[in-house]
Amino acid sequence: MISKLGEKFTDVFRKNMPDAFVFALVLTLITAIISFFWIGSSPLKIIQSWYDGFWTLLEFGMQMVLLIITGYSIALSSSVKKAIDYLTSYIKTPKQVYYFVVLIGFFLSMVSWGWIVITAVLARELALRVKGIHYPYLIACVYFSMIGWVTGLSSSIPLLLNTEDNYMIKAGMVPDTIATSYTLGSVLNIGMIVLMVVLGPLLMLLLVPKKTIGKEINDLLASDDRSETMTISEEANSFKLPFKAVSDRLNNSMILQYTVALMGVVYIVHHFDTKGFDLNLNIMIFVFVMMGLLMHKTPMRYGISMKRASSNISAILFQFPFYAGIMGIIQFTGLGAELGKLIASVATEETYPFFAYLLGGVVNFAIPSGGGEYAVIGPSVIEAVHTIGGDVSAIKLKEMTSRASLSIAYGEALTNLLQPFYLLLLLPIMAKGIKLQARDVMGFLVIPFLLYFLAQIAMVLWLPL
């Protein structure tokens, strides 16, 4: 019954949901119209804000591109393929694949949301080996598992609040840092982890589509993409000259590549030794690059792997600036601040977590970035909390601030299930050689969204910190 309902939602999305780029264009116009009629921004101010925001995610976009291709490059190594072959000796049925992918995806995302790339690689390779897998649904399972990041070590809002001299402190919104014991280590967050890790994989098992005919990966792959004509090693050898040459020795030198990789490993050890478990995007990409150098052994092999890994990244390259433009409209026209003030006018001490959660979810459609969204609406929400809290104790106010901030984070993460932005991370890997769009995947996530929406609202309202 529930799986049939999920398939009906999928049919609705396939018929009505446009491409992710069209989604971005529509959101741009909607945000501009709201800013014009509600805030009273002039058309020129809106367009100027859009332009100013257009370039703010260039660094982030490049990080996403490198995250995808360096992670995928590792997966193309022979050692990873052997490891996945070993794994499939234990995971042999579609249901085992769905369950394992969601579970491992949650844990990897809790370490860092960028590790969704690893889950995507693993899922694709399992789909190539295990028969009977509904591949669009498997992509939905991977995407669903990404919502776990907000409870883990790279959750941007709790980490920001625990950072010395952060912009919330400088703005006078909070008097001092808020320790992660109030956020990531709270009963509320631990309860959220249990909700995801225990119930998430089981829920996705209940929603598995009954029919897989024509939906397996080998059915969807174009004939010329079913397998590489040559292995990476064979392609590397094909470039060698028919006689001994210095260039070939350098192109295929393990010593050269391993020496440079060793330099990278030394820095990685130094980084974590001096900064603790600081797993930011830059160091994560650097780790992936060094792993790729070590696993592919020679410069020629690594170059070929990167070429193959980067063949499907166009969507990120041109769509990220449009989402950044939407963020610019909300931030620079004052729309985000007005949304925060709206909470103060309607929320009470009992209901403010609900409104913070709702606001985080709604704004995420326009600013699909936890840290970026909090920078826009966070100050207004916390100011509203201070107004609502009145004369409560400093500890109580810190708890209210923590709960409101977590509520924003949970709402922002959950509505990613209806927002195809981060699906751009998965499709270059999982849809390589396959004609799949966001509309083929997103419908499977409606029921998980609705159930988690109700559960999370109850938790942010009534579960203690």
Side-chain angles (χ1 to χ4, degrees):
M1 175 66 181
I2 192 169
S3 63
K4 289 183 178 179
L5 184 59
E7 291 182 41
K8 287 184 178 180
F9 278 121
T10 303
D11 290 337
V12 171
F13 269 70
R14 289 190 66 194
K15 292 176 181 177
N16 300 290
M17 185 176 183
D19 181 75
F21 180 50
V22 176
F23 194 85
L25 296 179
V26 171
L27 278 176
T28 300
L29 294 178
I30 290 174
T31 307
I33 290 170
I34 292 174
S35 181
F36 177 77
F37 285 103
W38 185 22
I39 307 300
S41 298
S42 68
L44 184 58
K45 175 65 176 177
I46 293 171
I47 294 172
Q48 182 67 50
S49 299
W50 176 63
Y51 176 82
D52 290 342
F54 209 79
W55 314 110
T56 57
L57 290 183
L58 288 183
E59 179 184 359
F60 185 51
M62 187 61 179
Q63 287 172 325
M64 293 301 96
V65 168
L66 288 173
L67 190 68
I68 291 170
I69 63 177
T70 56
Y72 198 8
S73 170
I74 291 171
L76 295 174
S77 67
S78 58
S79 56
V80 168
K81 288 187 178 296
K82 289 178 182 178
I84 294 177
D85 286 338
Y86 176 78
L87 188 62
T88 52
S89 66
Y90 296 94
I91 301 177
K92 299 179 179 180
T93 68
K95 286 191 174 182
Q96 289 175 339
V97 171
Y98 299 134
Y99 186 91
F100 176 76
V101 163
V102 175
L103 185 64
I104 196 68
F106 276 137
F107 283 123
L108 289 174
S109 294
M110 285 176 195
V111 176
S112 173
W113 63 266
W115 283 20
I116 191 69
V117 171
I118 301 175
T119 310
V121 168
L122 178 61
R124 180 182 172 106
E125 292 300 319
L126 287 173
L128 287 168
R129 291 161 172 77
V130 179
K131 293 183 178 181
I133 291 176
H134 192 292
Y135 195 62
Y137 183 73
L138 182 64
I139 297 176
C141 287
V142 175
Y143 196 47
F144 173 65
S145 73
M146 186 181 175
I147 65 173
W149 81 273
V150 76
T151 64
L153 299 176
S154 65
S155 187
S156 51
I157 295 175
L159 295 181
L160 167 74
L161 294 174
N162 193 37
T163 301
E164 296 287 344
D165 296 323
N166 63 71
Y167 63 80
M168 295 293 286
I169 294 175
K170 291 179 179 178
M173 294 291 102
V174 293
D176 201 356
T177 57
I178 297 178
T180 52
S181 59
Y182 283 89
T183 52
L184 297 180
S186 66
V187 173
L188 172 59
N189 197 61
I190 292 172
M192 205 65 70
I193 292 174
V194 172
L195 176 70
M196 293 176 181
V197 172
V198 176
L199 296 183
L202 296 176
L203 173 61
M204 297 309 283
L205 282 183
L206 292 175
L207 294 171
V208 175
K210 301 298 181 184
K211 299 178 181 179
T212 61
I213 298 176
K215 297 298 182 180
E216 294 186 44
I217 187 171
N218 287 320
D219 299 326
L220 298 170
L221 277 169
S223 58
D224 57 345
D225 282 299
R226 290 183 181 276
S227 62
E228 299 289 349
T229 56
M230 292 188 288
T231 66
I232 290 176
S233 179
E234 289 171 343
E235 185 175 346
N237 289 331
S238 71
F239 284 103
K240 289 183 178 179
L241 296 170
F243 49 84
K244 290 184 179 181
V246 174
S247 57
D248 282 339
R249 294 186 65 179
L250 291 173
N251 290 342
N252 297 280
S253 171
M254 291 177 60
I255 295 175
L256 175 62
Q257 185 146 307
Y258 278 12
T259 301
V260 174
L262 180 61
M263 291 171 58
V265 170
V266 170
Y267 178 78
I268 291 167
V269 172
H270 171 74
H271 172 87
F272 289 115
D273 182 55
T274 57
K275 299 183 180 181
F277 198 69
D278 176 23
L279 198 61
N280 58 63
L281 279 177
N282 288 338
I283 192 64
M284 190 190 316
I285 293 167
F286 192 73
V287 169
F288 281 5
V289 170
M290 294 307 118
M291 287 179 63
L293 292 175
L294 291 170
M295 297 172 80
H296 286 289
K297 300 180 181 180
T298 71
M300 181 61 76
R301 292 184 192 180
Y302 188 59
I304 292 170
S305 74
M306 291 292 279
K307 179 183 69 176
R308 294 186 181 186
S310 61
S311 62
N312 195 27
I313 58 171
S314 59
I316 284 183
L317 291 176
F318 78 90
Q319 289 190 38
F320 264 52
F322 284 90
Y323 280 101
I326 298 170
M327 178 176 171
I329 295 174
I330 290 182
Q331 183 173 5
F332 301 132
T333 64
L335 180 57
E338 288 300 319
L339 287 169
K341 292 177 182 177
L342 183 62
I343 287 185
S345 66
V346 297
T348 66
E349 191 171 341
E350 289 74 31
T351 62
Y352 75 88
F354 166 76
F355 286 105
Y357 178 89
L358 196 63
L359 182 63
V362 170
V363 175
N364 179 58
F365 284 97
I367 308 177
S369 165
E373 179 180 334
Y374 193 71
V376 175
I377 66 173
S380 297
V381 172
I382 301 309
E383 186 175 349
V385 168
H386 288 189
T387 302
I388 294 167
D391 297 326
V392 299
S393 66
I395 293 179
K396 176 65 175 177
L397 192 60
K398 182 180 289 189
E399 291 176 349
M400 291 176 66
T401 300
S402 301
R403 185 180 292 274
S405 299
L406 284 174
S407 298
I408 292 173
Y410 297 144
E412 183 274 336
L414 187 68
T415 50
N416 281 329
L417 299 185
L418 303 181
Q419 152 66 287
F421 179 78
Y422 283 106
L423 200 59
L424 298 177
L425 280 176
L426 304 186
L427 293 182
I429 296 171
M430 299 196 72
K432 183 177 183 295
I434 300 173
K435 291 183 179 180
L436 281 177
Q437 297 182 7
R439 65 186 181 186
D440 300 304
V441 176
M442 302 299 289
F444 293 115
L445 299 168
V446 175
I447 292 177
F449 168 80
L450 292 174
L451 295 178
Y452 269 61
F453 177 75
L454 295 174
Q456 288 186 341
I457 283 177
M459 293 174 75
V460 299
L461 283 172
W462 297 305
L463 205 62
L465 281 183

